[in-house]
Amino acid sequence: MTVLEDRIEMADADANTKGLDEWFERLERMPVPEGFRVEIVGGNVHMTPQRDTHWEIIFEIAQALRVRFGRGFKVLSDVRIDFPGHLNGFCPDVAMFKESAKKDDKGRWRHEDVEFVAEVISEGTAANDYGPKKAAYAVAEVPLYVIADPYQGRCFVYTDPKDGDYENRTPVDFGTDIDLTGTVVDLVLKTDDFPRD
């Protein structure tokens, strides 16, 4: 990469961050209904209600990570993280960070420190989780991405990010353990308590 290309990329990143900051500031002033989650995906604002099914699966995944890594490890839900691409301010259902992760100078977690993301499909935003969010996670080189889809009763495990996509995709039906040993989380995720919609 030339110095000019590097400066152009930095300017684009700064413009994206400023644009996202402006959008989120406006959204914070709006009367967003309680129980709704707000994200910006590719410059589009998405508001989705949290459903019981959605939350139960998020809780099961976060709890498995907490049991595996303990309280000192950074496992968060619905916290803004800016990912590569045009205006991508995501709030992953579950995000796990490197042990060395620190917030940036604006007090935000950096996508470079994300090691694992799990998204639970909502009917209205499923295309985001399977499409632009998956691509952004791959571009950010998040080593492990899991989608839990209560409509299909199946999880999809994505590993080995390369060139803006994941090289490996493994479907696992609800009720079957997901063997994530040998990955950054190094655990077996039980799915028998994952509810279906």
Side-chain angles (χ1 to χ4, degrees):
M1 182 177 285
T2 68
V3 173
L4 179 60
E5 289 171 327
D6 190 40
R7 287 187 179 162
I8 290 170
E9 189 173 300
M10 287 175 60
D12 287 345
D14 286 346
N16 270 337
T17 299
K18 287 177 185 171
L20 283 170
D21 288 348
E22 189 176 310
W23 270 104
F24 276 107
E25 286 172 18
R26 288 180 183 178
L27 290 166
E28 286 173 9
R29 290 191 301 264
M30 291 178 62
V32 175
E34 189 172 323
F36 277 72
R37 180 176 99 169
V38 179
E39 293 188 294
I40 301 173
V41 179
N44 297 303
V45 176
H46 296 271
M47 265 194 285
T48 53
Q50 290 284 29
R51 298 174 341 276
D52 292 351
T53 301
H54 195 96
W55 173 241
E56 287 177 39
I57 295 171
I58 292 169
F59 185 76
E60 290 290 330
I61 295 169
Q63 187 173 14
L65 292 169
R66 179 60 53 95
V67 167
R68 168 70 179 87
F69 293 103
R71 291 191 59 79
F73 222 79
K74 300 285 186 270
V75 176
L76 301 172
S77 179
D78 289 340
V79 173
R80 175 184 165 187
I81 305 166
D82 296 346
F83 280 91
H86 177 68
L87 297 177
N88 284 327
F90 302 162
C91 301
D93 290 326
V94 179
M96 185 182 89
F97 296 84
K98 296 175 184 174
E99 194 171 3
S100 62
K102 290 186 175 29
K103 291 183 178 182
D104 66 15
D105 58 348
K106 292 185 178 185
R108 290 198 203 96
W109 295 103
R110 300 168 352 111
H111 70 80
E112 294 90 347
D113 294 329
V114 177
E115 290 191 309
F116 167 73
V117 169
E119 296 284 8
V120 181
I121 296 299
S122 294
E123 202 167 29
T125 59
N128 289 337
D129 295 329
Y130 285 112
K133 289 175 81 174
K134 180 174 75 82
Y137 295 146
V139 168
E141 297 183 349
V142 174
L144 178 61
Y145 175 41
V146 173
I147 293 177
D149 190 330
Y151 301 99
Q152 295 185 44
R154 179 174 285 172
C155 291
F156 296 93
V157 179
Y158 296 92
T159 58
D160 304 313
K162 185 176 180 185
D163 298 328
D165 202 359
Y166 284 94
E167 291 194 334
N168 296 305
R169 174 186 171 267
T170 306
V172 181
D173 291 333
F174 282 14
T176 304
D177 293 349
I178 303 175
D179 184 359
L180 299 174
T181 56
T183 70
V184 292
V185 296
D186 196 33
L187 61 81
V188 174
L189 181 62
K190 306 271 186 201
T191 67
D192 37 356
D193 289 334
F194 284 12
R196 293 181 64 139
D197 264 342

